[in-house]
Amino acid sequence: LEGCAPCGELAQRLAFLAEVDRLKSVLRASLLCDGSRRENSAEHSWHLALYALVMAPHARPAVEIGRVIRMLLIHDLVEIDTGDVPIHAQNGAAHHGTAQLQAEAEAAERIFGLLPAPQGVELRALWAEFEANETPDAVFAKSLDRAQPVMQNIASGGGTWAEYRVTYAQLVERVGLRIERGAPTLWHWLSESAQVYFTARTGG
Amino acid sequence: LEGCAPCGELAQRLAFLAEVDRLKSVLRASLLCDGSRRENSAEHSWHLALYALVMAPHARPAVEIGRVIRMLLIHDLVEIDTGDVPIHAQNGAAHHGTAQLQAEAEAAERIFGLLPAPQGVELRALWAEFEANETPDAVFAKSLDRAQPVMQNIASGGGTWAEYRVTYAQLVERVGLRIERGAPTLWHWLSESAQVYFTARTGG
Ligand SMILES: [Ca+2]
């Protein structure tokens, strides 16, 4: 798409759509449900958008599902520049360091800045809203982002829990409270399924 | 998720969300933009949903983008059972055989049937609307589904065009007319970029 700046807003949109293709090459810690390989952040984002669509009846009344879907489609784009930071890495401490937050803000500026200004500004604000995790839409989106890897771990027989030696108490603290905040019925179901795994692992 | 039928509608939703994980293992003919590997249908669906969001200003006025996004998120789920049929395979004839359409209808019944009835019926109807390609939302969605592989081929230096020995006239007939129907400005841009490739290849 070189040399296309003169083509205007359509060329900007297509340059953005070509750039985001790189999210398909960002690998996450989580495995696919069948355990065959690590998941990438693009297919993870698709899966989450489907989570929002399908779990809509379990969202709080103030939640607007269409906005949540848009938020989840773009929530990981910054990883094109920064990579994915696994939630259980560095004993749970890696996820919100200052350097990481700064790098993500710069990535958001670069990537959303590829778009024509009004849409780029709007989508960057939607990403910032997700990160701030305060509005009903963001809280629900974040709960799904935390729930999906739990589902993948249950399905694949432990997944990142085994790899990072996660305990049930750590799971509750690192992800359970957030899932419960946005989707309490979902956390109720997941926590029961997860306890089956953790009980079997500790032989208790 | 075995033994969870008694848990009711939440268990059904989670069984569906676990089942659709398999779309991440369905490989398409198209390459990633960097040519590094084939694209899978889950990340393709994510990319298309972003196409809809970003290309919204180029849709006809009757198009409702939120519906188009939902349509594109689920449009390839039947491939979990049937696999992807490349548009240029068998000299362009493989895509709409009767056996293929029958297999896709059965797959839709099985996969959307995993959901609680109202939502399963609704999403299956949305998939059928996409396939019928008649409503403004479906026509726009289908035009993006045809445009994205053109973009991937332009970016990766030919991709499936080289593999299947596609001519520019075949490209126009197999995908160009459909793209133009839903997104004329997009086809205008793509056809000019594609012609650069085809002209260089034929040495013309
Ligand atoms: Ca397809």
Side-chain angles (χ1 to χ4, degrees):
Chain A
L1 298 171
E2 295 106 294
C4 260
C7 316
E9 57 81 33
L10 178 55
Q12 288 181 286
R13 291 179 207 284
L14 294 175
F16 173 86
L17 289 168
E19 175 69 14
V20 302
D21 197 68
R22 295 172 60 199
L23 196 63
K24 299 169 188 170
S25 301
V26 174
L27 290 185
R28 297 166 43 79
S30 303
L31 302 176
L32 300 192
C33 284
D34 67 6
S36 58
R37 64 166 172 82
R38 289 185 186 275
E39 188 182 40
N40 71 59
S41 291
E43 62 198 4
H44 162 73
S45 299
W46 166 78
H47 208 173
L48 283 181
L50 268 188
Y51 265 73
L53 182 58
V54 165
M55 294 298 296
H58 291 263
R60 298 187 191 280
V63 171
E64 193 191 319
I65 292 298
R67 272 192 98 238
V68 172
I69 289 174
R70 296 198 295 280
M71 197 179 270
L72 288 168
L73 289 172
I74 59 139
H75 84 289
D76 269 345
L77 287 181
V78 294
E79 295 181 0
I80 290 170
D81 289 357
T82 67
D84 177 61
V85 179
I87 192 101
H88 296 299
Q90 293 176 31
N91 205 25
H95 213 257
H96 282 105
T98 314
Q100 176 70 16
L101 293 178
Q102 178 62 26
E104 289 179 356
E106 285 168 18
E109 179 149 359
R110 181 186 78 76
I111 295 164
F112 295 117
L114 295 172
L115 285 167
Q119 190 170 46
V121 169
E122 185 194 338
L123 292 183
R124 191 178 160 195
L126 196 63
W127 170 79
E129 180 182 333
F130 172 82
E131 286 295 311
N133 196 24
E134 287 166 0
T135 65
D137 290 349
V139 168
F140 186 59
K142 189 74 87 172
S143 75
L144 300 179
D145 189 36
R146 293 294 180 268
Q148 187 258 5
V150 175
M151 282 282 290
Q152 304 295 105
N153 280 351
I154 291 170
S156 64
T160 56
W161 296 334
E163 185 177 356
Y164 292 108
R165 301 171 172 274
V166 177
T167 66
Y168 181 71
Q170 287 169 336
L171 179 71
V172 171
E173 185 203 324
R174 292 176 194 166
V175 310
L177 298 176
R178 280 209 163 148
I179 299 172
E180 189 169 35
R181 189 171 162 216
T185 51
L186 177 57
W187 173 243
H188 181 77
W189 195 96
L190 291 176
S191 65
E192 293 203 342
S193 301
Q195 281 176 60
V196 172
Y197 166 82
F198 285 100
T199 304
R201 199 183 64 178
T202 57
Chain B
L1 299 172
E2 296 108 294
C4 259
C7 315
E9 57 80 35
L10 177 56
Q12 287 180 287
R13 291 179 206 286
L14 294 176
F16 173 86
L17 290 168
E19 176 68 13
V20 303
D21 196 69
R22 295 171 60 200
L23 196 65
K24 299 169 188 172
S25 300
V26 174
L27 290 186
R28 295 165 45 79
S30 304
L31 302 175
L32 300 192
C33 284
D34 66 7
S36 59
R37 65 166 170 83
R38 290 186 185 276
E39 188 183 40
N40 72 60
S41 292
E43 62 199 4
H44 163 71
S45 299
W46 165 78
H47 208 174
L48 283 181
L50 267 187
Y51 265 73
L53 182 58
V54 165
M55 294 299 295
H58 292 261
R60 298 189 192 280
V63 170
E64 192 192 319
I65 292 298
R67 270 191 100 239
V68 172
I69 289 174
R70 295 199 295 280
M71 196 179 270
L72 289 168
L73 289 173
I74 59 140
H75 83 290
D76 269 345
L77 287 181
V78 294
E79 295 181 358
I80 290 170
D81 288 357
T82 67
D84 178 60
V85 179
I87 193 101
H88 296 298
Q90 295 176 29
N91 206 24
H95 213 256
H96 281 106
T98 314
Q100 177 70 16
L101 294 177
Q102 177 64 24
E104 289 180 355
E106 284 167 18
E109 177 149 0
R110 182 188 77 76
I111 295 164
F112 295 117
L114 296 171
L115 285 167
Q119 190 170 45
V121 170
E122 185 194 338
L123 292 183
R124 192 179 159 194
L126 196 63
W127 169 78
E129 180 181 334
F130 172 82
E131 286 295 312
N133 196 24
E134 288 166 0
T135 65
D137 290 349
V139 168
F140 186 60
K142 189 74 85 172
S143 75
L144 300 178
D145 189 36
R146 293 293 179 268
Q148 187 258 5
V150 175
M151 283 282 290
Q152 304 296 107
N153 280 351
I154 292 170
S156 62
T160 56
W161 296 333
E163 185 177 355
Y164 292 107
R165 301 170 173 276
V166 177
T167 65
Y168 181 71
Q170 287 169 336
L171 180 71
V172 171
E173 185 203 324
R174 291 178 195 165
V175 310
L177 298 177
R178 281 210 162 147
I179 298 171
E180 188 169 37
R181 187 169 163 217
T185 51
L186 177 56
W187 174 244
H188 181 78
W189 195 96
L190 290 177
S191 64
E192 294 205 340
S193 301
Q195 281 175 63
V196 173
Y197 165 82
F198 285 99
T199 305
R201 201 182 62 177
T202 57

